[in-house]
Amino acid sequence: MKLIEFNDSPTDGQLRQFGAVCIVMLPTLGWIWGGSMQIILGLCILGGTLALSGFVWPASLKPIFLTLMAITCPIGLLVGELSMIMIYFGLFLPLSLAFRLTGRDALQLKRPKSSTSYWQEKKQPASASTYYRQS
């Protein structure tokens, strides 16, 4: 499995789905970007044309699909890396520093000074029937 998979040969079903998404997303993007009513109507017509051509002749949408894939693939890589960096430095690093400062040792990796080994006695169950009790 590749780290990044660029779909350079989409199926007819994927191209039809792309056309169906165009009829909704193009006018929505025009509205979000604050376009006038004529621009939104033009994008609605363009989306409908793309959707119709996708259902009638899906191969006609392949160049548009591949162009948009080539444009958005680097954006996806950048956003993915930035989100991972933000999660690491914004969540895990401060949490681990707080645990280190408070002396938390949830895995019991530090041996108590009074003991000579890491061995810990565990309490044995009273009977085998307690294995099946979930509470």
Side-chain angles (χ1 to χ4, degrees), residues 4-134:
I4 303 156
E5 191 170 330
F6 187 82
N7 188 7
D8 59 346
S9 57
T11 64
D12 286 347
Q14 288 173 329
L15 292 172
R16 285 187 184 100
Q17 185 179 17
F18 174 70
V21 167
C22 285
I23 198 168
V24 175
M25 288 309 296
L26 286 177
T28 304
L29 288 174
W31 176 70
I32 289 173
W33 287 336
S36 65
M37 202 57 181
Q38 289 89 7
I39 292 174
I40 295 174
L41 183 62
L43 288 173
C44 216
I45 293 170
L46 177 64
T49 306
L50 289 174
L52 184 64
S53 66
F55 284 111
V56 174
W57 187 40
S60 65
L61 292 181
K62 188 173 181 178
I64 300 169
F65 180 84
L66 292 178
T67 303
L68 289 176
M69 283 287 291
I71 291 170
T72 57
C73 190
I75 295 170
L77 285 173
L78 181 68
V79 168
E81 291 295 321
L82 287 176
S83 63
M84 294 301 282
I85 288 170
M86 286 173 39
I87 289 170
Y88 179 78
F89 286 110
L91 179 69
F92 293 127
L93 183 68
L95 196 61
S96 65
L97 288 175
F99 286 162
R100 176 78 52 113
L101 290 174
T102 59
R104 180 177 179 194
D105 187 21
L107 296 177
Q108 299 173 350
L109 297 175
K110 295 179 184 172
R111 183 176 51 167
K113 299 210 186 280
S114 62
S115 67
T116 58
S117 73
Y118 286 99
W119 185 261
Q120 295 178 358
E121 293 289 332
K122 298 294 179 187
K123 185 178 124 184
Q124 296 297 320
S127 67
S129 64
T130 60
Y131 290 149
Y132 301 110
R133 190 174 56 222
Q134 296 293 316

